[in-house]
Amino acid sequence: MQSVKIMKTLLKVLGRSISHHRFLYILCLLLGGISELLVLVQPQLGGKLIEGVQSGQLSGSIVAALVFILASNALVTMCQQLVLGKICEDSAYELRCGLVERFFSLPILEQESKAPGWYSQRIVSDVDLTKALPGQSIALFQATIILIGSTIALLCIEPITFFVGASFGVLSLVFAVIASRPLVKLREGIQDAYTGITAGAQESMRTGRVLRAYGAWNASRKELELEVSRAHEDGLRLSVINSCLFPIASILMQLANIGTILFGAFRVADGAIAFSGLVMFLMYFSAFSSSVSQLSGSISRMREAEAGERRLTELETMNVERSIRYNHQIPNIISGAAEIQFNNVSFSYDGETEFALKDASFIVPAGKRTAIVGASGGGKTTCLGLLEKFYFPNSGEILLNGMPLNEIETSRLRASIGYVDQDAVVMRGTIRSNLSVGREGISDSEMEKVLDLVGLTLPQPRLDYQTGENGSALSGGQKQRLALARSFLGLPNLLIMDEPTSSLDGIAEHEINDIIRKAFSSITVLCTAHRLSQILSSDWIVVVNEGQVVAQGPHEILMDTCEYYRELVASQAA
């Protein structure tokens, strides 16, 4: 049953690999068949050559024919390898493109459930395992032709001697098939360990300062060393199996060859077979031995490809973002200041029993600055994620200028929103590449203008300044200013900010608040806020507590009517 499942998987991988190259694959099979037929003709010519030498009448035509066949076989093999290389590389390219598309189609929560290294291992290493399958299937086909052809020839020439040698060959093949079974699990273990190494190294780089500050740097190193050790142990086991598998299989085939030669020599001495017949027999038996070795090697590598395919399936079966058919005839409602309404919105993260938002209803007035306030983990950031359509409500609806958010095309929605996330994410590259992300046609002068607006001072030329990995060349405040500058480009209709000044000092925060108010005086601004200065600078405030909206309104009214809000303000003022 397991063998049938493996075969189905391999056929699936093969079908996908050659889906756009069926003609080339058939051509490779034909070339492979021609190559093996040429190999099967060689012993016949070799036998005639020996007979000619024995009789003293060496035929030039036989020599020429043998040279022609050898040269033709080399040319056919070269053409086949060129075509096969294109099939394998093209199939790997197409598969990687599909996996990249799948990666970028994953919902944000689904995507963030795996470490970056988990994806890179599948897109890089596992694809390499599967791309070899077309070549191995053709090698299997060719080996089968040689096995059948040489077996028929050997049975016709000297069946008794063949059975003596073949018994060792069959034993070698059976041994290789059985011994290769552990290779799949070991290969999977090594791939998983590599994923752990990649993810661990990335995590240690990202959190290096915190780990050092808390004396956990060595502990992190030991965790990474455990993954290295795991890869090492599985690699050693794999090496042990390979070091035993192939030499033992080779010894069995050598015993088959030696036994065949000795028994064949005995048959020649006994007069049962001519010397030229023995030469032909040995040439065919050499082809038979090679085909057995080729079969065992191909089976082993095809099992590795099957292991790679199982890992790729994990990525291929992950849920993609829901596809919604939008009405493109609707008017462009994303213009001017945006008014937002949450109507009885509930949302829970996958795997969580508690709701992050529960029947939340509130408004975000058009052209005003609104702050969502409350304790950490209360649902503030969840509200912003729902507005950006990073995920969707379990129930209830969100309206933008009176239209349900799920009826507005996501790309149109996001193009009209300026977004500053909580971590002020900065990408590797230059200041220019960070500002122009997703914004086509932005000029250098526009970029310089927003950098001046947020007060980001850097060595000149400022736009060419390298930000480093994860923005390591910038301070926390500089990252925040850069993120703000990026949101200002493109004149958004709605500005969403998650703790926009968390990395700024009081003076800088005051400056940024003034900039936001002046630059977006007629635009809707929605932010989450912990700092009192952010709360007090807002026109409208939505108070959330444990996923529920407990109050909304201006600061003065909330101070009179909401005890929880007064506690929040008092905690900031203390």
Side-chain angles (χ1 to χ4, degrees), residues 109-386:
L109 296 178
E110 182 92 349
Q111 189 180 79
E112 290 173 349
S113 68
K114 305 290 185 183
W118 189 91
Y119 296 102
S120 62
Q121 280 297 128
R122 278 147 184 79
I123 295 172
V124 179
S125 301
D126 289 319
V127 169
D128 274 343
L129 289 177
T130 60
K131 84 171 184 179
L133 188 59
Q136 293 306 318
S137 66
I138 290 173
L140 198 65
F141 169 74
Q142 292 181 223
T144 303
I145 291 177
I146 288 292
L147 185 67
I148 295 171
S150 59
T151 299
I152 294 171
L154 290 166
L155 287 172
C156 292
I157 297 171
E158 179 60 23
I160 298 175
T161 307
F162 170 65
F163 284 123
V164 171
S167 59
F168 288 96
V170 172
L171 184 61
S172 171
L173 181 59
V174 172
F175 170 78
V177 171
I178 295 174
S180 66
R181 287 183 178 178
L183 295 178
V184 177
K185 284 190 175 181
L186 288 173
R187 180 67 68 182
E188 285 183 338
I190 291 171
Q191 293 293 88
D192 287 337
Y194 288 164
T195 299
I197 292 169
T198 303
Q202 290 173 336
E203 181 70 10
S204 296
M205 287 179 63
R206 189 175 64 84
T207 60
R209 296 190 181 190
V210 173
L211 292 172
R212 284 182 169 92
Y214 283 92
W217 187 244
N218 286 333
S220 180
R221 174 178 58 82
K222 288 177 181 177
E223 288 179 7
L224 194 57
E225 286 174 348
L226 282 175
E227 293 293 345
V228 173
S229 176
R230 179 182 163 197
H232 173 252
E233 290 173 2
D234 283 346
L236 280 179
R237 293 190 187 100
L238 189 65
S239 298
V240 168
I241 292 176
N242 283 331
S243 63
C244 295
L245 172 61
F246 295 110
I248 291 175
S250 177
I251 288 171
L252 290 173
M253 290 311 303
Q254 288 175 18
L255 288 173
N257 290 331
I258 293 170
T260 301
I261 292 171
L262 291 176
F263 193 79
F266 170 77
R267 297 283 287 170
V268 169
D270 199 38
I273 182 175
F275 178 72
S276 60
L278 178 61
V279 171
M280 287 174 57
F281 183 90
L282 293 176
M283 290 180 72
Y284 275 120
F285 195 80
S286 176
F288 173 84
S289 302
S290 297
S291 68
V292 171
S293 299
Q294 182 73 58
L295 282 170
S296 62
S298 294
I299 290 170
S300 174
R301 283 184 282 274
M302 288 173 78
R303 288 180 71 90
E304 290 183 2
E306 188 263 339
E309 173 62 19
R310 284 209 307 269
R311 289 164 56 85
L312 289 177
T313 302
E314 295 177 49
L315 175 53
E316 292 174 324
T317 54
M318 291 176 73
N319 296 321
V320 298
E321 281 191 306
R322 65 174 72 176
S323 178
I324 300 173
R325 182 170 293 178
Y326 298 99
N327 180 8
H328 291 277
Q329 303 304 316
I330 63 173
N332 183 18
I333 62 152
I334 314 173
S335 60
E339 180 183 85
I340 299 161
Q341 273 185 273
F342 274 58
N343 293 333
N344 302 112
V345 173
S346 294
F347 173 78
S348 63
Y349 293 94
D350 289 343
E352 297 289 333
T353 56
E354 295 291 327
F355 280 96
L357 281 181
K358 292 176 286 188
D359 293 320
S361 296
F362 63 89
I363 63 169
V364 177
K368 303 294 184 181
R369 177 165 179 168
T370 299
I372 304 177
V373 303
S376 297
K380 301 187 301 299
T381 300
T382 300
C383 292
L384 303 190
L386 289 167

Side-chain angles (χ1 to χ4, degrees), residues 48-154:
K48 292 184 179 297
L49 198 62
I50 294 297
E51 290 176 356
V53 171
Q54 286 181 318
S55 64
Q57 296 179 343
L58 184 62
S59 172
S61 60
I62 297 295
V63 174
L66 188 58
V67 171
F68 174 77
I69 286 175
L70 290 172
S72 298
N73 193 23
L75 182 62
V76 168
T77 302
M78 181 182 70
C79 293
Q80 183 200 42
Q81 292 303 308
L82 288 172
V83 175
L84 184 59
K86 176 172 176 56
I87 293 174
C88 292
E89 292 304 324
D90 283 357
S91 67
Y93 169 76
E94 290 161 5
L95 179 55
R96 285 192 174 110
C97 286
L99 292 172
V100 167
E101 183 177 352
R102 165 72 59 164
F103 172 76
F104 280 97
S105 299
L106 295 175
I108 190 165
L109 296 178
E110 182 92 349
Q111 189 180 79
E112 290 173 349
S113 68
K114 305 290 185 183
W118 189 91
Y119 296 102
S120 62
Q121 280 297 128
R122 278 147 184 79
I123 295 172
V124 179
S125 301
D126 289 319
V127 169
D128 274 343
L129 289 177
T130 60
K131 84 171 184 179
L133 188 59
Q136 293 306 318
S137 66
I138 290 173
L140 198 65
F141 169 74
Q142 292 181 223
T144 303
I145 291 177
I146 288 292
L147 185 67
I148 295 171
S150 59
T151 299
I152 294 171
L154 290 166

